[in-house]
Amino acid sequence: MSEYSRWVHSVNFDSINTWDDWHLVPMSRPVINPPTKKTVFVDIPGADGRLDLSEVVSGGPVYNNRTGSIEFMVQNGFKPWSEMFSTVMNALHGKYMNVSLDDDPEWHYRGLISVNKWTTGDHYSTITIDYDLEPYKYKGKDKSL
């Protein structure tokens, strides 16, 4: 990871750094969304309110995956558009990977990555990368999957 990659708030997908390897710049500071709590409510006819059975089996809260997307600006001229598109698709689309943020280097996440869309413009293109990550944030450097 270069010092410049930290300034542009790079994202790491396994060993790929979005700035160092592809010159992708996030359109806003990347954040991995928090997981939502799994809930199970039962409506009992004739009773007030609903019963919350969310923690009956586990004894504590359980969570859904962390889902979201990160939009990147692709600098025109770094590589030909078709080459960059193929490179990103081949490296990320449909793969289960470790994900870490240069802004939070001591932690990583694991899950499915997919390329959502690619748009082109006169001065730059954008690429949106979706994630569906396990609910937990893991301490330490990325581990091989």
Side-chain angles (χ1 to χ4, degrees):
M1 168 182 55
S2 70
E3 275 304 308
Y4 191 68
S5 69
R6 193 169 284 179
W7 180 78
V8 297
H9 310 290
S10 293
V11 179
N12 299 288
F13 298 100
D14 284 342
S15 63
I16 299 165
N17 180 282
T18 54
W19 171 255
D20 291 343
D21 297 314
W22 296 333
H23 284 215
L24 300 181
V25 178
M27 297 297 282
S28 61
R29 186 181 298 246
V31 175
I32 302 298
N33 290 329
T36 58
K37 183 182 176 204
K38 287 186 175 182
T39 57
V40 178
F41 293 103
V42 177
D43 190 14
I44 308 286
D48 292 329
R50 300 181 295 170
L51 290 178
D52 182 0
L53 303 179
S54 303
E55 299 179 13
V56 170
V57 174
S58 65
V62 291
Y63 299 94
N64 292 303
N65 279 358
R66 297 168 181 259
T67 58
S69 60
I70 303 171
E71 184 179 28
F72 293 91
M73 178 184 77
V74 182
Q75 290 186 332
N76 289 342
F78 175 67
K79 284 187 179 180
W81 176 87
S82 59
E83 183 182 335
M84 182 61 81
F85 179 76
S86 294
T87 299
V88 172
M89 285 293 292
N90 289 336
L92 302 181
H93 193 62
K95 298 199 175 161
Y96 192 86
M97 308 179 92
N98 287 305
V99 178
S100 63
L101 306 174
D102 278 359
D103 291 340
D104 194 13
E106 296 302 315
W107 297 89
H108 69 278
Y109 308 87
R110 296 182 203 150
L112 182 64
I113 305 302
S114 56
V115 177
N116 180 325
K117 65 181 177 177
W118 190 293
T119 59
T120 59
D122 292 337
H123 302 292
Y124 64 89
S125 301
T126 62
I127 183 169
T128 303
I129 299 172
D130 292 344
Y131 58 85
D132 187 345
L133 305 173
E134 296 172 4
Y136 303 105
K137 183 176 180 179
Y138 299 97
K139 180 92 171 137
K141 296 292 181 189
D142 298 353
K143 306 288 188 231
S144 295
L145 296 173

